[in-house]
Amino acid sequence: MRKLGLSLLLLSVLFACGQEEASQEGDDLTLNSVIAINDLPAVGPVSVKQTQMFSDDVMRSQMSTSISIAGEAQEILTVYIINLNEGNIYYVNDSDSTYVRMSFAELDALLDQINPAADTTGAQLELLQDQVRRMEDQAEPIPPFGECVPIEFDLVLGGTGENADYRSSMQGQMWLSKSIENDDVYMDFNDEAMVRFKNDIAGNAMFFGIAASVNLNQGWFESVNEAMTGVPVQAEFKITMPTPKETITYGMTMNLEDYSTADIDESLLAVPAGYQEVSLSEFRMY
């Protein structure tokens, strides 16, 4: 279960992010989106409702995940806060008033432990196909989010040596808008995150959730970051990934439902006073 919760963090980085217009004016940005994962073996369909709040150098994410565990429907709530100025991420559990604090380096190491390439036993991986293409000429309106530009993904990840047969792939499209009010708050946060996370989480989490396992150069990251300008509005991906017993293929979609530009209550952007700090091993993520 803990591994599932950490994996959901990867989803939230991928989809930072109908439908309603922004209802209040302010300097911040709140995005409400729905992520659906289909055809996962054993688990079945997974639905994630995500709210992301951006205010200067702080982002709060709340994810409500519907999933079937041992044949029973479960609702999992995950809350975390990223503070770029402090260089920390905080997982928060309101039900028992506890939290865990990790530096970006600690989080990066943790995500690397659960990356989908763990079965390659530490072997270096490479992107055998690395197309991330912005198609400005195919932009079209997606009401009420204005003109949206599609980004085409065609990525294939492969192993070397004993793991030469390892293959993961990710194909699909994401539609980005630059017409949403206060979208600069979102884009400025992501640009700074790319610097603070040294591209490990902000970049690699989008592509298979891999940090140090993949040999990717800085120039590739910069070109991808440039292509990804805008707020994600829609996305649809097909992902193929080997496991110890079989190769699985599943689909993933994302839709931005609505957004708000109202100023965010400062109490939501920090761990509440009186909450107890605990270690990761002690922390109940749900």
Side-chain angles (χ1 to χ4, degrees):
M1 291 295 292
R2 182 180 301 275
K3 192 169 184 177
L4 171 63
L6 293 171
S7 298
L8 292 175
L9 173 59
L10 300 180
L11 291 179
S12 69
V13 180
L14 170 59
F15 301 126
C17 27
Q19 316 191 1
E20 304 171 6
E21 297 285 356
S23 57
Q24 293 177 276
E25 294 184 359
D27 298 322
D28 297 333
L29 181 62
T30 298
L31 303 174
N32 296 305
S33 57
V34 174
I35 301 166
I37 308 172
N38 301 310
D39 303 321
L40 282 175
V43 176
V46 177
S47 176
V48 182
K49 293 184 178 180
Q50 181 178 36
T51 295
Q52 289 186 309
M53 303 176 180
F54 296 87
S55 181
D56 294 326
D57 290 330
V58 180
M59 187 270 281
R60 174 190 174 95
S61 174
Q62 178 171 311
M63 294 185 293
S64 177
T65 304
S66 299
I67 189 171
S68 177
I69 300 174
E72 296 185 5
Q74 302 282 339
E75 291 289 331
I76 300 172
L77 182 64
T78 306
V79 177
Y80 65 88
I81 300 167
I82 295 177
N83 190 309
L84 296 178
N85 281 333
E86 296 179 3
N88 292 322
I89 180 169
Y90 301 85
Y91 278 102
V92 181
N93 189 328
D94 292 315
S95 65
D96 62 6
S97 301
T98 60
Y99 72 96
V100 63
R101 171 174 50 188
M102 286 185 286
S103 68
F104 295 161
E106 290 171 329
L107 177 62
D108 183 45
L110 186 63
L111 292 178
D112 197 34
Q113 292 176 16
I114 65 166
N115 79 65
D119 298 331
T120 63
T121 62
Q124 190 73 14
L125 301 175
E126 296 181 358
L127 274 177
L128 306 179
Q129 191 159 307
D130 60 2
Q131 179 173 294
V132 179
R133 186 164 60 101
R134 187 178 180 93
M135 300 180 288
E136 294 281 358
D137 61 331
Q138 296 186 31
E140 60 182 65
I142 301 179
F145 307 118
E147 197 82 353
C148 296
V149 177
I151 311 298
E152 183 178 82
F153 294 81
D154 190 357
L155 307 174
V156 177
L157 184 67
T160 59
E162 295 180 359
N163 298 291
D165 292 335
Y166 180 95
R167 290 291 185 277
S168 292
S169 65
M170 172 176 164
Q171 285 86 29
Q173 285 190 339
M174 178 183 291
W175 295 78
L176 304 177
S177 172
K178 294 178 65 177
S179 303
I180 291 176
E181 295 92 330
N182 293 357
D183 60 2
D184 58 315
V185 179
Y186 168 88
M187 289 187 284
D188 289 348
F189 180 91
N190 282 346
D191 287 344
E192 184 63 20
M194 289 290 287
V195 175
R196 300 294 183 93
F197 284 119
K198 299 181 180 178
N199 291 329
D200 289 340
I201 298 171
N204 281 322
M206 290 187 57
F207 312 114
F208 311 100
I210 296 165
S213 300
V214 185
N215 181 20
L216 298 173
N217 63 58
Q218 182 67 26
W220 187 80
F221 274 118
E222 290 175 354
S223 64
V224 170
N225 197 33
E226 183 177 348
M228 293 293 294
T229 301
V231 176
V233 169
Q234 292 181 3
E236 184 171 0
F237 293 105
K238 178 182 178 181
I239 299 172
T240 299
M241 188 176 300
T243 69
K245 295 182 179 180
E246 61 180 339
T247 296
I248 63 173
T249 299
Y250 59 95
M252 182 184 301
T253 63
M254 185 281 293
N255 286 281
L256 179 64
E257 291 197 315
D258 57 69
Y259 69 96
S260 170
T261 59
D263 290 331
I264 297 167
D265 189 330
E266 291 188 4
S267 67
L268 296 173
L269 301 174
V271 176
Y275 276 36
Q276 179 184 1
E277 182 173 3
V278 298
S279 67
L280 182 62
S281 61
E282 299 172 295
F283 183 68
R284 291 177 57 249
M285 189 164 290
Y286 315 115

